[in-house]
């Protein structure tokens, strides 16, 4: 049976980008057709300046939102990365497999290290080695597929390279995974700056729709989205990035093709209103389930505890095999 692994990082409140690019597919498709594991990758949230209390709060919230989005713990494994030691154990072997040059070429490293320098913080070594931990996250579970948004495909490509290299050097140990992207909305853009990705850790929230934003807030943010100086509604990412983004969001919410949708609009205002309504409707059931789950925190904790137990049992044999393959003595 196909094995799937993916995760979210608790570096901010989950966004519409996280949902359309990744989480919705996990809930609507992946968990039904494969043996799937979904993880709150909290260790990855420590690679930039962080507040411990906030990471704790956001980790709990992310796990609750994954369940609210429809992940069913009877069908898939939902857990927190730091609860399963195998991730950190295997990460070290990945650091011994990757090269410094490979890590420095990662776009996320270039962007986030520049961000850290600009805000006067040092660049943490873990920001550079982040893809080694991400490779470990995936390879520990022998995942075949990694459903992610477009921004993470470079890291999955690197994971493939590391798996192939490790297997060639030390004998077949890892499944070589592949990234899968959604057909529409693989890269939801910031509503205020449609040339940048909608990112949960960005400072200004004006261009970011968070999954827990109230309907009125969603409306305001979408209606104020930056469009272009033209008048025509066309789906052209290069010439009209703001309009293209709205068409993609609306298309992803309603199951329509953005190019075809463009032909049905003659004004930006109507497009924005329809997009805002569609996002509100999309988020409504997630928000309702979230409210119910928040009222029962013991349930979420129990799901995570059981999930970690299952994940540990799945990862352990592969990570032990990797340790033996590189020449480490069995304890
Ligand atoms: N804007 C986006 N459009 C489509 N997919 C997106 N994803 C993130 N942003 C978008 C996908 O969501 C999944 C979880 O993301 P993550 O938690 O690993 O964080 P990230 O990719 O680094 O993006 P964020 O949310 O913007 O976090 P920060 O700001 O901390 O970097 C992934 O599959 C991702 O592709």
């Amino acid at each position: 049976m196909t094995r799937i692994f993916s995760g979210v990082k608790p570096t901010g409140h989950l966004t519409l980008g996280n949902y359309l690019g990744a989480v919705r597919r996990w809930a609507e498709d992946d968990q039904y057709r494969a043996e799937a594991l979904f993880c709150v990758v909290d260790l990855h949230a420590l690679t930039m300046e962080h507040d411990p209390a906030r990471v704790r709060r956001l980790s709990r919230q992310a796990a609750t939102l994954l369940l609210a989005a429809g992940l069913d713990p009877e069908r898939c494994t939902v857990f927190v990365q730091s609860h399963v030691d195998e991730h950190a154990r295997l990460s070290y072997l990945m650091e011994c497999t990757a090269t410094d040059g490979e890590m420095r070429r990662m776009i996320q490293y270039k962007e986030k290290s520049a961000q850290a320098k600009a805000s006067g913080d040092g660049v943490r070594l873990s920001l550079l080695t982040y893809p080694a931990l991400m490779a470990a996250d995936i390879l520990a579970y022998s995942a075949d597929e990694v459903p992610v948004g477009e921004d993470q495909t470079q890291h999955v490509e690197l994971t493939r390279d590391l798996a192939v290299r490790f297997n060639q050097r030390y004998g077949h140990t890892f499944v070589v995974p592949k990234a899968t992207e959604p057909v529409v909305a693989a890269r939801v853009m910031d509503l205020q700056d449609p040339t940048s990705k909608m990112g949960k850790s960005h400072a200004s929230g004006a261009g970011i729709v968070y999954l827990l934003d109230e309907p009125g807030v969603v409306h305001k943010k979408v209606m104020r989205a930056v469009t272009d100086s033209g008048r025509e509604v066309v789906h052209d990412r290069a010439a009209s990035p703001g309009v293209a983004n709205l068409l993609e969001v609306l298309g992803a919410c309603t199951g329509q093709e953005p190019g075809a949708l463009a032909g049905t609009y003659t004004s930006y205002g109507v497009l924005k209103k329809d997009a805002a309504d569609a996002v509100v409707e999309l988020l409504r059931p997630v928000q309702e389930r979230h409210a119910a789950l928040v009222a029962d925190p013991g349930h979420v904790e129990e799901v995570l505890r059981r999930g970690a137990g299952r994940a540990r049992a799945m990862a352990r044999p592969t990570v032990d095999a990797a340790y033996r393959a590189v020449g480490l003595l069995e304890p």
Side-chain angles (χ1 to χ4, degrees):
M1 193 182 200
T2 303
R3 183 78 69 83
I4 288 180
F5 175 91
S6 202
V8 284
K9 201 165 61 173
T11 42
H13 298 281
L14 261 61
T15 71
L16 183 66
N18 297 132
Y19 187 67
L20 293 179
V23 178
R24 180 169 73 162
R25 271 188 304 152
W26 305 349
E28 292 181 357
D29 180 28
D30 296 329
Q31 67 172 343
Y32 293 102
R33 66 181 180 84
E35 185 171 22
L37 297 108
F38 301 109
C39 187
V40 177
V41 283
D42 53 351
L43 297 173
H44 289 291
L46 312 184
T47 55
M48 299 283 280
E49 184 70 30
H50 72 280
D51 166 21
R54 186 163 185 265
V55 170
R56 221 170 276 133
R57 215 169 44 242
L58 290 173
S59 296
R60 219 170 275 133
Q61 187 192 72
T64 309
L65 273 169
L66 292 186
L67 300 180
L71 293 188
D72 175 357
E74 301 303 321
R75 286 189 179 278
C76 63
T77 302
V78 183
F79 68 106
V80 175
Q81 181 190 34
S82 64
H83 293 176
V84 180
D85 293 343
E86 271 55 40
H87 295 249
R89 278 180 76 212
L90 186 54
S91 179
Y92 181 69
L93 296 197
M94 291 298 111
E95 287 180 25
C96 297
T97 309
T99 65
D100 174 69
E102 266 171 336
M103 296 287 171
R104 288 185 195 280
R105 276 198 293 278
M106 294 294 110
I107 294 163
Q108 182 169 292
Y109 172 69
K110 288 184 190 164
E111 288 175 355
K112 298 221 165 190
S113 57
Q115 215 176 302
K117 280 182 199 152
S119 51
D121 301 324
V123 178
R124 297 183 182 190
L125 184 57
S126 56
L127 188 64
L128 181 65
T129 58
Y130 175 117
L133 177 57
M134 179 163 160
D137 298 338
I138 298 165
L139 299 181
Y141 297 99
S142 305
D144 305 283
E145 293 179 19
V146 189
V148 286
E150 198 182 272
D151 62 316
Q152 287 295 343
T153 52
Q154 193 188 29
H155 290 154
V156 182
E157 279 306 311
L158 177 61
T159 300
R160 288 171 62 83
D161 292 345
L162 298 182
V164 169
R165 191 176 308 154
F166 190 101
N167 287 347
Q168 277 168 353
R169 278 188 194 157
Y170 308 113
H172 184 82
T173 309
F174 297 122
V175 170
V176 180
K178 70 167 195 288
T180 60
E181 277 181 45
V183 185
V184 180
R187 192 175 184 84
V188 178
M189 308 307 273
D190 189 295
L191 297 173
Q192 287 299 314
D193 174 11
T195 56
S196 304
K197 185 189 83 155
M198 185 183 281
K200 66 171 114 62
S201 64
H202 294 183
S204 159
I208 306 167
V209 175
Y210 298 105
L211 297 190
L212 294 177
D213 275 347
E214 304 255 340
V217 174
V218 173
H219 259 276
K220 204 180 281 172
K221 286 178 177 175
V222 178
M223 293 308 289
R224 288 186 184 160
V226 168
T227 41
D228 322 286
S229 48
R231 289 254 171 86
E232 244 190 300
V233 178
V234 285
H235 183 239
D236 181 340
R237 270 200 174 208
S240 292
V243 172
N245 192 36
L246 289 172
L247 287 166
E248 285 170 28
V249 166
L250 177 60
C253 292
T254 58
Q256 288 163 285
E257 208 271 309
L261 269 175
T264 65
Y265 286 96
T266 51
S267 101
Y268 292 166
V270 181
L271 169 62
K272 284 180 178 177
K273 186 181 171 306
D274 285 358
D277 288 343
V279 172
V280 167
E281 284 318 308
L282 181 81
L283 299 186
R284 190 188 306 281
V286 178
Q287 296 184 351
E288 284 170 2
R289 285 195 294 264
H290 179 265
L293 286 161
V294 164
D296 186 6
H299 171 69
V300 178
E301 269 169 38
E302 177 57 17
V303 166
L304 297 178
R305 205 187 52 74
R306 272 193 291 131
R310 279 211 297 261
R312 216 174 284 127
M314 282 194 231
R316 190 108 209 216
T318 307
V319 178
D320 283 350
Y323 266 58
R324 285 195 299 275
V326 295
L328 299 173
L329 287 178
E330 274 186 64

